[in-house]
Amino acid sequence: MTPFLYCIPLLLVPLPDLFAQSGDPLNPISWKMHVIDDTSLGADGAKLADVNGDGFPDMVSGWEEGGVSGLYINPGKKAGDWTYVEVSSPDVEDAFAVDLDGDGFMDLVTLSEGKHQRVTIHWAPADGEAYFQSDQWISQDIPVTVGMTRWMFGRSIDVDGNQGVDLIVGSKDPNGRLGWLEAPENPRDMADWKYHPISGAGWIMSIETLDMDGDDIWDILVTDRYGDMRGLRWLKNPGDSAHQPEGWENHYIGLRDGEPMFFGMTSPQVFNGDGLPMVIVPDLPNGWALFYQEDGSWNRKNIAYPSFSGRRGKSVAVADIDEDGILDFVASFEGAEERSGVLAVTAFQSDYPKFIDISGLPGIKYDFVVLLDMDGDGDLDVLTCEETGGDGSKRGLGIIWYENPLR
């Protein structure tokens, strides 16, 4: 689809302050910001998991310069502070929770770049009270990953149907790669974890698993930021041949000449009923690229960043944040000095998307955005991390959330 330009529409009916026109935001007051934690340095992403089974999503976040990762417990209906347990993780770039040994207690997995370069499993104590004591956790590196490459992003899934949950892991150059770690019969036998290559890579930014070709087998969808294999692409799961790197067929969707960052997706079948999502990718300095299937082919639509946003798009999350029955997306930015680092785009499938300034001017470099009801009032709020202070240090705003003013 040919890109087209956007202009400010003539509004025939008044709109509430929650909305904004294309180009500049109408809402003069930013959403209220709440701090979950700002005690360390370089808050770098957040992933959710209900680790205590109370129905409220808890959160894991790594602090890259602080060299720790925290598991934060959602206070739920009680409200109040998010208590947390912390583990050591030098140069951490990604962190998430998963029960790898099947004892009913979620462990933590951290991926490190920098000089540390390894995937580490932090084994949780199988005890409800000890779970919140940092000195009761046992941290062990997966030996095959140590010094191999700068690990950037991971997901947990049972790849081969054997011996429990495996790990899909991606990295960046030098030796950039996408592969999976096969869990042994006893996951705590660290030397028995095996690495299987899937694809070369320049800089893996995002990894998601979903069925891309309708064969009822999940595949891998990634954004690769640099190098000869850059772009939004997916790898076909070869099923029984998953242990063989040549079995994973690579399929490009787009952005071969761009710089794709953390993508967001609609749920399958929400967009056009074909079982595939719409994928929205920030092309770092160039605007958002929207990819969707139509008549068996991937089409693209472009949306330019508004004038008040940060200069470099970072992350996207898709949902109906204003409850009008139409999908919106929330986006984060880096390069947001004296600009908005978090904003929403409502009615993004229309000819005239509208913009909401969420963060205002504080903050410079934001990471993932996650949409969930943080305060129990029934609307979707925005959870994210911000890692760079106004003085250029890594003492940014920390792990924060913005309160949706809808209710």
Side-chain angles (χ1 to χ4, degrees):
M1 178 177 292
T2 302
F4 52 91
L5 299 175
Y6 292 85
C7 61
I8 298 177
L10 175 64
L11 299 180
L12 301 180
V13 295
L15 293 174
D17 284 348
L18 179 63
F19 303 110
Q21 291 176 306
S22 178
D24 296 306
L26 278 179
N27 55 319
I29 301 175
S30 301
W31 294 19
K32 183 178 179 180
M33 186 187 80
H34 302 264
V35 178
I36 293 177
D37 187 14
D38 60 359
T39 59
S40 192
L41 301 174
D44 201 11
K47 288 184 176 177
L48 303 180
D50 183 4
V51 304
N52 55 6
D54 65 355
F56 295 95
D58 308 301
M59 177 188 62
V60 180
S61 186
W63 297 81
E64 184 173 3
E65 281 72 25
V68 295
S69 294
L71 170 58
Y72 297 82
I73 305 302
N74 191 326
K77 293 182 178 179
K78 302 188 296 293
D81 294 336
W82 289 56
T83 58
Y84 64 92
V85 60
E86 194 171 78
V87 296
S88 175
S89 51
D91 297 327
V92 60
E93 184 64 30
D94 191 22
F96 55 93
V98 56
D99 182 5
L100 289 174
D101 56 5
D103 65 356
F105 291 84
M106 284 199 182
D107 312 298
L108 296 183
V109 177
T110 58
L111 288 81
S112 294
E113 58 157 340
K115 296 180 179 179
H116 202 57
Q117 295 190 15
R118 66 198 63 197
V119 179
T120 302
I121 301 174
H122 308 268
W123 300 106
D127 178 274
E129 293 185 6
Y131 194 81
F132 299 100
Q133 302 173 24
S134 295
D135 61 359
Q136 298 299 303
W137 289 65
I138 299 172
S139 299
Q140 295 182 304
D141 302 328
I142 299 179
V144 71
T145 69
V146 175
M148 179 184 287
T149 184
R150 295 189 286 179
W151 299 106
M152 300 298 293
F153 200 94
R155 290 290 188 192
S156 58
I157 194 168
D158 186 355
V159 174
D160 56 3
N162 296 317
Q163 301 172 167
V165 180
D166 308 300
L167 301 172
I168 298 175
V169 288
S171 74
K172 69 178 181 181
D173 281 334
N175 302 318
R177 62 190 60 206
L178 176 71
W180 65 282
L181 291 162
E182 178 185 355
E185 182 175 0
N186 178 1
R188 291 201 178 217
D189 287 341
M190 305 305 292
D192 289 343
W193 282 80
K194 297 178 181 178
Y195 175 79
H196 300 284
I198 292 175
S199 169
W203 185 338
I204 295 295
M205 293 295 298
S206 294
I207 301 173
E208 294 292 348
T209 56
L210 69 162
D211 183 5
M212 294 293 294
D213 54 0
D215 63 358
D216 295 323
I217 301 175
W218 60 264
D219 307 296
I220 300 174
L221 180 65
V222 303
T223 43
D224 193 343
R225 182 174 174 181
Y226 285 151
D228 294 339
M229 302 194 73
R230 74 166 65 185
L232 173 66
R233 57 191 178 99
W234 65 277
L235 291 304
K236 178 177 173 57
N237 189 333
D240 293 341
S241 302
H243 295 79
Q244 306 300 322
E246 61 272 15
W248 294 82
E249 297 176 4
N250 185 71
H251 301 267
Y252 284 106
I253 294 174
L255 286 174
R256 293 285 285 119
D257 57 353
E259 194 170 346
M261 303 298 283
F262 299 121
F263 64 78
M265 300 187 300
T266 64
S267 298
Q269 301 180 347
V270 166
F271 182 65
N272 60 6
D274 63 1
L276 288 173
M278 170 182 264
V279 184
I280 305 174
V281 188
D283 181 5
L284 189 65
N286 301 317
W288 298 288
L290 286 60
F291 294 94
Y292 59 95
Q293 276 262 331
E294 192 171 73
D295 298 328
S297 299
W298 285 97
N299 292 318
R300 173 175 172 171
K301 173 183 176 181
N302 297 326
I303 299 179
Y305 301 145
S307 59
F308 65 91
S309 77
R311 293 175 174 84
R312 295 154 63 89
K314 194 69 177 288
S315 170
V316 169
V318 185
D320 178 9
I321 64 166
D322 51 17
E323 299 182 4
D324 64 353
I326 301 173
L327 281 176
D328 317 302
F329 70 81
V330 174
S332 66
F333 290 82
E334 56 185 53
E337 296 91 341
E338 299 302 317
R339 292 167 172 262
S340 176
V342 182
L343 57 84
V345 184
T346 66
F348 67 84
Q349 298 177 48
S350 71
D351 288 342
Y352 302 107
K354 307 172 184 69
F355 298 96
I356 303 169
D357 180 8
I358 291 176
S359 67
L361 299 183
I364 295 174
K365 186 178 181 182
Y366 291 83
D367 209 86
F368 287 132
V369 286
V370 180
L371 304 181
L372 72 160
D373 184 3
M374 296 289 292
D375 51 5
D377 65 356
D379 57 18
L380 291 173
D381 307 298
V382 178
L383 170 68
T384 189
C385 297
E386 198 282 322
E387 63 178 284
T388 302
D391 60 357
S393 73
K394 288 299 181 177
R395 189 167 293 281
L397 300 175
I399 305 169
I400 54 180
W401 66 277
Y402 294 97
E403 183 177 344
N404 191 331
L406 183 63
R407 296 180 184 171

